[in-house]
């Protein structure tokens, strides 16, 4: 899969994930309906598409190629484990910081990008530690190198729906205290 295809695939998946999150999870409706409290936000979906095209797709395209070069093909359980752990520790955290920073820059009502990263990246990392090791083990063990970006984008539809949801909501004060792990 090429770099451009990876970006386009990620943009598509992130778009679908945000639309699904807005309509199915947040129960938003199309504008024009006066009987609903919250309307669908197409600019939010556009921001996720931009992040998918210009950050997610290219980032993971290069990251998985780097892991493949370093560890070789995942032909054994130890190699799968090494790739999965390396991805979770070395690849995933910088992506979360970049993604929440990028979203903060793109959002017209975000006036404190570092605070946004501090608030959401640790929460997403903890949740990702439950979700991604399983998804990446399957990725490295069963998916060909050429199909990895597509697989990750597909598994990422669920994950990106979660990110869209947490990125769009204001956490309760007790949630802030729980995830206040970065220095001021």
């Amino acid at each position: 899969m090429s770099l451009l295809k990876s970006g386009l695939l990620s943009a598509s998946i992130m778009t679908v994930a945000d639309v699904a999150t807005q309509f199915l999870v947040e129960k938003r409706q199309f504008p024009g309906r006066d009987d609903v409290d919250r309307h669908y936000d197409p600019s939010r979906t556009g921001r996720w598409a931009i992040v998918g095209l210009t950050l997610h797709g290219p980032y993971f395209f290069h990251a998985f190629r780097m892991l493949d070069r370093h560890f070789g093909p995942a032909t054994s359980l130890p190699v799968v484990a090494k790739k999965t752990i390396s991805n979770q520790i070395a690849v995933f955290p910088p992506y979360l910081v970049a993604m929440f920073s990028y979203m903060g820059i793109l959002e017209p009502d975000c006036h404190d990008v570092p605070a946004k990263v501090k608030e959401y990246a640790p929460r997403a990392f903890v949740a990702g530690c439950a979700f991604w090791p399983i998804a990446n083990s399957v990725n490295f063990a069963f998916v060909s190198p050429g199909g990895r970006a597509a697989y990750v984008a597909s598994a990422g539809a669920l994950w990106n729906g979660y990110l869209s949801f947490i990125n769009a909501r204001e956490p309760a004060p007790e949630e802030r205290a729980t995830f206040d792990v970065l220095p001021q």
Side-chain angles (χ1 to χ4, degrees):
M1 179 172 287
S2 72
L3 182 63
L4 179 60
K5 285 182 184 177
S6 295
L8 290 171
L9 181 61
S10 289
S12 299
I13 295 295
M14 292 178 110
T15 296
V16 169
D18 181 66
V19 170
T21 298
Q22 288 195 53
F23 283 106
L24 302 175
V25 177
E26 298 172 8
K27 307 295 186 204
R28 292 176 180 248
Q29 300 291 325
F30 281 109
R33 293 204 39 202
D34 296 329
D35 62 331
V36 293
D37 294 330
R38 295 168 40 143
H39 293 108
Y40 169 68
D41 181 358
S43 61
R44 173 176 141 183
T45 302
R47 290 189 293 272
W48 284 102
I50 289 167
V51 169
L53 177 67
T54 62
L55 176 66
H56 184 273
Y59 183 89
F60 284 103
F61 174 84
H62 289 297
F64 290 141
R65 289 180 69 190
M66 176 194 65
L67 290 171
D68 286 340
R69 278 194 308 272
H70 186 73
F71 294 108
T75 56
S76 67
L77 187 57
V79 174
V80 169
K82 287 176 190 174
K83 283 180 152 180
T84 299
I85 291 167
S86 296
N87 185 68
Q88 196 66 30
I89 293 170
V91 175
F92 187 53
Y95 169 74
L96 289 174
V97 170
M99 191 274 299
F100 283 114
S101 297
Y102 199 1
M103 289 302 292
I105 291 166
L106 295 175
E107 292 168 346
D109 59 344
C110 181
H111 304 293
D112 191 349
V113 173
K116 180 180 193 72
V117 172
K118 180 181 176 188
E119 185 67 43
Y120 295 112
R123 174 178 296 125
F125 178 75
V126 169
C129 285
F131 180 81
W132 283 112
I134 295 166
N136 281 324
S137 293
V138 171
N139 181 29
F140 294 130
F142 302 110
V143 180
S144 69
R148 290 208 176 120
Y151 168 81
V152 168
S154 298
L158 293 173
W159 175 251
N160 289 318
Y162 168 75
L163 290 179
S164 173
F165 178 73
I166 68 166
N167 185 66
R169 71 183 196 82
E170 186 66 30
E174 63 273 9
E175 291 176 316
R176 281 195 181 101
T178 302
F179 291 98
D180 192 12
V181 295
L182 298 178
Q184 300 278 353

